[in-house]
Amino acid sequence: EVQVVESGGGLVQPGGSLRLSCAASTFTSRDYWMSWVRQAPGKGLEWVANIKQDGSEKYYVDSVKGRFTISRDNAKNLVYLQMNSLRVEDTAVYYCVKVGSWYWFDPWGQGTLVTVSS
Amino acid sequence: QTVVTQGPPFSVSPGGTVTLTCGLSSGSVSTFYYPSWYQQTPGQTPRTLIYNTDTRSSGVPDRFSGSILGNKAALTITGVQAEDESDYYCVLYMGSGIWVFGGGTKLTVL
């Protein structure tokens, strides 16, 4: 059973913006740190950002700092990734994952594809 | 900048044993990095295998095991099966809310 569902991906021009959403279906996301992990075509996994349960702490990989913002709406059990000033190198499948107590990522959804191209 | 290193592609025969490693460009991996391992077959989403160094995720066969070997985290597969042909990724928790993935190791089952 799919436990997280990501949405919001698509084709965008360089310099554009997208907002990704993540809905948890079988757990209450507000009880956990949540992260975004991405995978460029044919490449490996890359941790992008994460957010504390109450949204008070947020962390980012250096390459997206100042351009991406992670947020959450605990009332709706949703996590977001606002992506601005997108670059060609941001093209990837973006996965939303729950951070387990021992600093691990699970479950994994199908991800949502972001393509940055002119 | 810290780089998490994984080994070159591996080939193994069915029934064999293989150990994949996960190290640091500078320093040693310990349990304090909470290493975890993920399996990904082409076109599929990652699957969690091991977390907290050596704890198998739910439903993962016991032929997969995790450990610290020397100065690296290790994933050992004993009695390799054809279905184990995949890419394997490790990730280390660096502290301060930061994780770094290794580049992955491609395992071929001949």
Side-chain angles (χ1 to χ4, degrees):
Chain A
E1 73 283 334
V2 176
Q3 301 181 35
V4 290
V5 178
E6 303 92 341
S7 61
L11 174 63
V12 62
Q13 292 187 339
S17 299
L18 275 178
R19 188 178 82 159
L20 307 183
S21 299
C22 166
S25 60
T26 57
F27 65 92
T28 304
S29 62
R30 64 175 175 266
D31 293 337
Y32 300 92
W33 283 78
M34 296 293 294
S35 281
W36 288 93
V37 174
R38 68 183 178 183
Q39 185 170 36
K43 302 296 184 183
L45 300 169
E46 179 183 38
W47 170 80
V48 175
N50 68 302
I51 185 169
K52 193 176 180 180
Q53 290 92 328
D54 62 0
S56 62
E57 294 182 38
K58 305 174 184 181
Y59 301 94
Y60 303 90
V61 68
D62 285 348
S63 59
V64 309
K65 284 180 181 177
R67 301 188 298 122
F68 289 13
T69 302
I70 189 171
S71 62
R72 64 195 307 161
D73 184 336
N74 286 338
K76 297 180 178 179
N77 211 30
L78 292 172
V79 178
Y80 303 103
L81 186 66
Q82 177 68 43
M83 305 185 295
N84 299 330
S85 302
L86 281 161
R87 304 169 180 169
V88 171
E89 55 265 34
D90 295 319
T91 295
V93 174
Y94 285 73
Y95 298 99
C96 172
V97 286
K98 173 172 67 73
V99 181
S101 300
W102 298 107
Y103 303 100
W104 57 299
F105 301 122
D106 192 78
W108 296 77
Q110 293 300 309
T112 186
L113 176 62
V114 172
T115 302
V116 185
S117 175
S118 54
Chain B
Q1 184 174 351
T2 300
V3 176
V4 175
T5 60
Q6 292 189 246
F10 260 92
S11 294
V12 62
S13 299
T17 295
V18 64
T19 296
L20 310 180
T21 62
C22 175
L24 286 169
S25 55
S26 177
S28 299
V29 176
S30 71
T31 57
F32 294 112
Y33 285 90
Y34 302 95
S36 53
W37 291 89
Y38 304 84
Q39 177 193 50
Q40 187 180 36
T41 54
Q44 301 297 313
T45 64
R47 171 197 183 195
T48 307
L49 295 176
I50 301 288
Y51 63 94
N52 193 25
T53 305
D54 58 6
T55 303
R56 271 187 300 276
S57 183
S58 176
V60 173
D62 59 8
R63 65 178 183 273
F64 292 92
S65 62
S67 64
I68 298 293
L69 286 180
N71 62 350
K72 297 181 179 181
L75 173 70
T76 299
I77 313 172
T78 56
V80 170
Q81 300 182 6
E83 67 205 50
D84 298 334
E85 183 164 294
S86 299
D87 295 319
Y88 292 85
Y89 296 93
C90 71
V91 66
L92 302 179
Y93 180 62
M94 299 301 178
S96 302
I98 304 294
W99 282 260
V100 180
F101 278 92
T105 296
K106 182 177 180 61
L107 179 68
T108 300
V109 181
L110 300 171

